[in-house]
Amino acid sequence: MIRTATPADVPVIHAMVRELAEYEKALDEARATEEQLREALFGERPAAFAHIAETEDGEPVGFALWFLNFSTWRGVHGIYLEDLYVRPDRRGGGHGKALLTELARICVERGYERLEWSVLDWNEPSIAFYRSLGALPQDEWTVFRLTDGALGALGAPTR
């Protein structure tokens, strides 16, 4: 079962974010707090949205956290999937596909023309899964990121 996350889900989403960061060998980079997630998802101006995958007895086993992007070429919004995670002992049960199906449904329903996400190059099981759904890698694009000192240096006020 897939459902829209509620504020009561923030602790489990936070825990799964940390589990995902550990799986991706980057736990030290996962600094978001529960309060930050609560504000981003349920604050006065939500910046992101989340869905929860549950077992039949209501146990949360995965989540998708996403936000809107915009394509100047298509002229409409799309969804950028920031995180998709299913707990290891629950993989293979259709939860990941159900989460992606829900996001695709939202895209179709709202007229969004893209559902995009990134995957680590070494994550072959996920890459194979995404390809099985018809997703195509965007090999001609390279992701760039500014953080920490480089971001501060570039964004520092000039005199």
Side-chain angles (χ1 to χ4, degrees), residues 64-85:
L65 193 143
W66 57 277
F67 55 88
L68 294 179
N69 58 16
F70 183 82
S71 170
T72 57
W73 290 16
R74 300 271 179 132
V76 296
H77 282 293
I79 286 178
Y80 185 83
L81 175 60
E82 178 65 21
D83 287 334
L84 175 69
Y85 180 73

Side-chain angles (χ1 to χ4, degrees), residues 116-117 135-142:
E116 297 180 313
W117 61 93
L136 300 173
Q138 301 297 295
D139 295 332
E140 68 273 13
W141 292 90
T142 300

Side-chain angles (χ1 to χ4, degrees), residues 89-130:
D89 63 332
R90 297 303 184 144
R91 292 182 188 155
H95 304 292
K97 183 177 181 180
L99 286 162
L100 284 170
T101 298
E102 176 62 10
L103 296 187
R105 186 197 63 74
I106 291 168
C107 285
V108 170
E109 179 181 275
R110 298 181 186 178
Y112 302 161
E113 294 189 15
R114 289 183 178 166
L115 172 54
E116 297 180 313
W117 61 93
S118 297
V119 61
L120 291 165
D121 291 338
W122 58 259
N123 193 344
E124 289 297 329
S126 292
I127 292 169
F129 168 63
Y130 299 143

Side-chain angles (χ1 to χ4, degrees), residues 19-102:
E19 291 170 25
L20 174 60
E22 185 172 23
Y23 172 76
E24 292 183 349
K25 302 174 178 92
L27 184 56
D28 59 321
E29 295 178 39
R31 297 180 278 197
T33 65
E34 285 185 25
E35 187 51 44
Q36 286 173 312
L37 286 174
R38 185 174 284 103
E39 182 63 27
L41 294 168
F42 305 106
E44 188 175 316
R45 294 178 48 187
F49 308 91
H51 285 78
I52 301 293
E54 291 183 330
T55 61
E56 290 179 9
D57 64 354
E59 176 193 355
V61 296
F63 79 103
L65 193 143
W66 57 277
F67 55 88
L68 294 179
N69 58 16
F70 183 82
S71 170
T72 57
W73 290 16
R74 300 271 179 132
V76 296
H77 282 293
I79 286 178
Y80 185 83
L81 175 60
E82 178 65 21
D83 287 334
L84 175 69
Y85 180 73
V86 175
R87 289 188 157 144
D89 63 332
R90 297 303 184 144
R91 292 182 188 155
H95 304 292
K97 183 177 181 180
L99 286 162
L100 284 170
T101 298
E102 176 62 10

